[in-house]
Amino acid sequence: MGMPPCCDKSNVKKGLWTEEEDAKILAYVAIHGVGNWSLIPKKAGLNRCGKSCRLRWTNYLRPDLKHDSFSPQEEELIIQCHRVIGSRWSSIARKLPGRTDNDVKNHWNTKLKKKLMKMGIDPVTHKPVSQVVLEFRNISGHGHENASFKTEPSNNSILTQSNSSAWEIMGNTTMSHETYYNNSPMIFTNPASSEFQTSPFHFYNHSNHLLNGTTSSCSSSSSSASITQPNQGATNFCWNDYLLSDPVLPQNSQTQVLGSSATSNLTFAQNELHFNSLAESSAHNNIDTNASRTSHSASSFVDEILDKDQEMLSQFPPLLNDFDY
DNA sequence: AAGTCACTCAACCGCAGGACG
DNA sequence: GCGTCCTGCGGTTGAGTGACT
């Protein structure tokens, strides 16, 4: 698909805007309002692409925009939102009055990502890097090599060797980013499950929304995300069950997960093959799979995600209400 | 003082989807 | 249903700037 050029690019100015150009847009919008950006350059006397005019207005000239630096509260909100919905900057920006998606995106890429990495949190999954690396090793069968990643950065740690996120660190291996993403259900992870000092950030506490303690410390050996509902006990969603359980292998050969030295020697392709064959045979053998779903089947995984999605929606309406799924 | 590096952020690019004729 | 136009979005780029050597 794609769009035809909105203007003759050879004849339009590009690059930074001058005060004079800004003034022309402001003057035009003050009289005519926004809309029909393709005509605005001509009508406002600008040698710019309409798209460029729209961007200049929405990202810089709009009177409701803030131009000061992000507050800790705003940063906190961005991190929380990113953990829940990922890089949907426009949705996140809607939660921050006076901020544009470009602002949020830039701030994330230049500041927040680095802050998280310094704290040992993988900015993609929002999980401790050590946990991500261990999980990756379990997934890819690299568990035997260098299994002694430290949770805190040291001279030898991967965190000091690179500013990369965990999956960037894994870039040298055979697993694709997509595969990694698909196996990292980030919205169910609990960044508080870390040995890192999380100050000055205040991570999400599922029972009272904001955890305002100056530090948060607990063992990363727990691979379960504990979701506490206000009026209920904690429910544990052990995502590693899905990540590491092979529906074909006997359960007793899969019982060792994080922190263990045992890993599956199956490659991802092999796992996928097993998974597909199981799903196929399930389709033949079980007409009503919903009625008799097992805890770790493909359908149960999807069901679990949907269940948790509903659960989160019910828990955090203030945060999630406006996100258009 | 000059050169290099790292960082920031405004702006650009291309794709997707909705509206409309 | 199809094509065109417009807008929104996320990823990427590169000019400007400050820190460092």
Side-chain angles (χ1 to χ4, degrees):
Chain A
M1 205 170 121
M3 277 285 300
C6 58
C7 48
D8 183 0
K9 291 189 177 179
S10 60
N11 288 329
V12 296
K13 187 184 171 190
K14 288 165 74 173
L16 295 179
W17 283 66
T18 64
E19 285 183 21
E20 190 185 349
E21 288 174 314
D22 284 347
K24 283 181 179 178
I25 288 209
L26 286 168
Y28 181 88
V29 169
I31 297 170
H32 301 97
V34 294
N36 209 352
W37 288 104
S38 61
L39 296 177
I40 285 185
K42 203 174 181 181
K43 291 185 176 178
L46 285 161
N47 187 26
R48 290 273 186 175
C49 174
K51 195 173 176 179
S52 179
C53 294
R54 176 171 55 86
L55 223 55
R56 181 65 177 171
W57 170 261
T58 55
N59 285 341
Y60 192 79
L61 295 175
R62 262 168 48 201
D64 59 319
L65 292 182
K66 289 184 198 170
H67 295 288
D68 53 346
S69 55
F70 281 76
S71 69
Q73 288 75 24
E74 287 176 313
E75 292 187 333
E76 186 181 330
L77 189 55
I78 292 170
I79 291 170
Q80 290 167 11
C81 291
H82 186 273
R83 184 158 63 83
V84 175
I85 63 169
S87 56
R88 291 162 67 175
W89 306 118
S90 59
S91 297
I92 296 173
R94 279 187 223 120
K95 297 288 179 188
L96 299 162
R99 304 295 187 188
T100 68
D101 54 347
N102 214 30
D103 288 338
V104 174
K105 180 173 56 184
N106 281 333
H107 194 64
W108 172 264
N109 285 328
T110 59
K111 303 276 178 61
L112 299 181
K113 239 166 95 173
K114 289 171 188 171
K115 279 187 182 179
L116 286 177
M117 286 192 290
K118 273 187 180 177
M119 292 156 55
I121 305 292
D122 178 51
V124 176
T125 62
H126 293 255
K127 294 190 291 188
V129 171
S130 59
Q131 184 181 335
V132 172
V133 170
L134 280 171
E135 285 158 7
F136 167 70
R137 291 189 182 286
N138 282 328
I139 292 165
S140 63
H142 287 74
H144 300 291
E145 309 161 22
N146 301 327
S148 59
F149 284 107
K150 296 176 180 178
T151 50
E152 290 187 62
S154 71
N155 289 339
N156 297 328
S157 90
I158 53 174
L159 294 175
T160 54
Q161 291 168 17
S162 158
N163 280 333
S164 306
S165 66
W167 57 266
E168 286 169 324
I169 292 163
M170 297 161 192
N172 293 331
T173 70
T174 54
M175 187 166 82
S176 69
H177 292 168
E178 187 184 3
T179 309
Y180 176 75
Y181 270 97
N182 290 342
N183 287 281
S184 300
M186 55 183 266
I187 62 171
F188 300 135
T189 62
N190 184 356
S193 296
S194 158
E195 289 175 353
F196 301 103
Q197 302 294 304
T198 57
S199 176
F201 292 101
H202 316 295
F203 284 121
Y204 219 74
N205 179 301
H206 295 290
S207 57
N208 61 3
H209 287 205
L210 285 178
L211 182 65
N212 261 334
T214 53
T215 62
S216 171
S217 176
C218 60
S219 171
S220 64
S221 63
S222 166
S223 58
S224 302
S226 178
I227 298 175
T228 307
Q229 300 187 4
N231 298 317
Q232 298 176 15
T235 59
N236 288 327
F237 176 73
C238 189
W239 62 275
N240 288 303
D241 289 351
Y242 299 107
L243 208 59
L244 298 171
S245 293
D246 187 319
V248 173
L249 292 174
Q251 279 298 315
N252 60 7
S253 69
Q254 306 172 25
T255 50
Q256 298 188 17
V257 286
L258 283 180
S260 75
S261 59
T263 56
S264 168
N265 288 325
L266 290 174
T267 65
F268 253 87
Q270 288 171 315
N271 276 330
E272 192 177 11
L273 204 63
H274 284 303
F275 184 85
N276 288 340
S277 64
L278 180 81
E280 210 168 64
S281 64
S282 292
H284 285 301
N285 298 333
N286 301 311
I287 304 300
D288 185 5
T289 53
N290 281 337
S292 60
R293 50 183 171 156
T294 58
S295 62
H296 292 151
S297 68
S299 63
S300 73
F301 177 78
V302 173
D303 290 341
E304 190 76 35
I305 287 197
L306 292 172
D307 288 348
K308 292 297 168 185
D309 197 27
Q310 286 301 314
E311 196 173 301
M312 289 192 73
L313 282 170
S314 66
Q315 286 176 49
F316 315 125
L319 182 64
L320 296 173
N321 269 355
D322 296 341
F323 293 133
D324 33 308
Y325 284 98

